């Protein structure tokens, strides 16, 4: 049996005070801050139940750091304000320096992700060097990216990163493994995403869903 590689989750988290501004038509600033924190907790809970060697969170937000520690995650602050791409690159450097086999990058706003989906993405990986990806529902975002080793492929996140990531992997001689997964696919950025979350079936008893129903969204 092939041994399970030493894979760490890498989770960049922006400060909650500035989170989810595109949801302003539906939510007040305190509601958006609460939503960001609650979605992060749902993601951390899924990661804590998955087959991972560890969880690394890159943030300067005290509440995010507290949640991370509650779920056994390690917190760093290297380049935490350098955007999603810069924060992920900093985590990749740390994991490479420490000799870990792989890095699974995911955002903190995919509250329907499950430990089972995370394990499925990990199980789909090929021998290093390899690149495995779970796209966003619109095939624009890269919501789950597994690199073996952690710096196997230079990552650059943004509103349209999925196909560029596939191209970058191929330029580095790696054929990507694509794993569509419903929980990874639904990230919450726009009002339409919130509506999709509320009507997603089957309903999942996430903290996020409970919060939104309490808001009356």
């Amino acid at each position: 049996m092939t041994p399970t590689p030493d894979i760490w989750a890498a989770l960049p988290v922006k400060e909650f005070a500035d989170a989810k501004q595109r949801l302003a038509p539906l939510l007040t600033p305190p509601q958006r801050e609460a939503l960001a924190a609650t979605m992060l907790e749902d993601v951390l809970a899924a990661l804590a139940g998955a087959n991972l060697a560890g969880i690394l969170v890159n943030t300067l937000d005290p509440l995010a750091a507290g949640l991370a520690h509650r779920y056994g995650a390690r917190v760093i602050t290297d380049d935490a304000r350098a955007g999603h791409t810069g924060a992920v690159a900093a985590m990749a450097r740390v994991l490479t320096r420490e000799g870990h086999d792989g890095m699974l990058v995911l955002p903190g706003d995919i509250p329907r992700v499950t430990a089972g989906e995370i394990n499925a993405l990990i199980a789909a990986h090929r021998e290093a060097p390899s690149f495995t990806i779970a796209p966003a529902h619109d095939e624009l975002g890269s919501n789950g990216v597994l690199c073996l080793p952690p710096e196997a492929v230079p990552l650059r996140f943004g509103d349209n990163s999925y196909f560029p990531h596939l191209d970058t992997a191929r330029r580095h001689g790696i054929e990507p493994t694509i794993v569509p997964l419903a929980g990874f696919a639904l990230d919450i950025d726009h009002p339409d995403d919130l509506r999709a979350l509320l009507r997603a079936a089957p309903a999942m008893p996430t903290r996020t869903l409970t919060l939104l129903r309490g808001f009356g969204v």
Side-chain angles (χ1 to χ4, degrees):
M1 181 180 294
T2 303
T4 302
D6 172 21
I7 294 172
W8 279 62
L11 191 56
V13 182
K14 294 194 299 185
E15 288 154 282
F16 292 147
D18 298 320
K20 300 300 170 188
Q21 295 184 21
R22 286 178 283 192
L23 296 177
L26 293 179
L27 301 176
T28 66
Q31 287 175 328
R32 296 198 302 272
E33 186 171 347
L35 174 64
T38 304
M39 291 193 295
L40 174 63
E41 185 166 7
D42 279 330
V43 173
L44 286 167
L47 289 170
N51 297 328
L52 290 160
I55 304 168
L56 186 61
V57 174
N58 195 347
T59 190
L60 284 164
D61 189 280
L63 177 55
L67 286 170
H69 287 136
R70 186 185 305 170
Y71 285 89
R74 173 181 167 195
V75 176
I76 65 169
T77 59
D78 308 23
D79 289 337
R81 288 190 177 133
H84 198 97
T85 297
V88 168
M91 288 187 282
R93 289 193 298 270
V94 169
L95 295 175
T96 296
R97 185 169 65 243
E98 295 177 354
H100 300 292
D101 293 336
M103 174 181 73
L104 170 59
V105 182
L106 70 170
D109 62 354
I110 48 173
R112 282 178 63 88
V113 75
T114 65
E117 284 194 343
I118 294 164
N119 290 341
L121 188 63
I122 293 170
H125 83 275
R126 299 175 183 173
E127 289 187 9
S130 65
F131 181 85
T132 310
I133 188 166
H137 62 92
D138 54 9
E139 291 195 335
L140 292 177
S142 306
N143 287 355
V145 178
L146 175 56
C147 293
L148 276 77
E151 295 182 297
V153 174
L155 303 177
R156 183 172 295 278
F157 294 90
D159 290 336
N160 183 15
S161 66
Y162 173 59
F163 287 107
H165 274 146
L166 300 184
D167 292 342
T168 301
R170 289 173 179 134
R171 285 200 305 272
H172 284 75
I174 300 172
E175 182 58 30
T177 299
I178 301 167
V179 187
L181 295 162
F184 274 99
L186 185 54
D187 52 321
I188 309 302
D189 283 317
H190 302 279
D192 284 348
D193 301 327
L194 270 188
R195 297 182 186 104
L197 175 66
L198 290 167
R199 61 175 185 263
M204 292 173 57
T206 61
R207 298 164 184 80
T208 300
L209 186 60
T210 299
L211 180 78
L212 291 171
R213 286 176 173 169
F215 289 163
V217 176

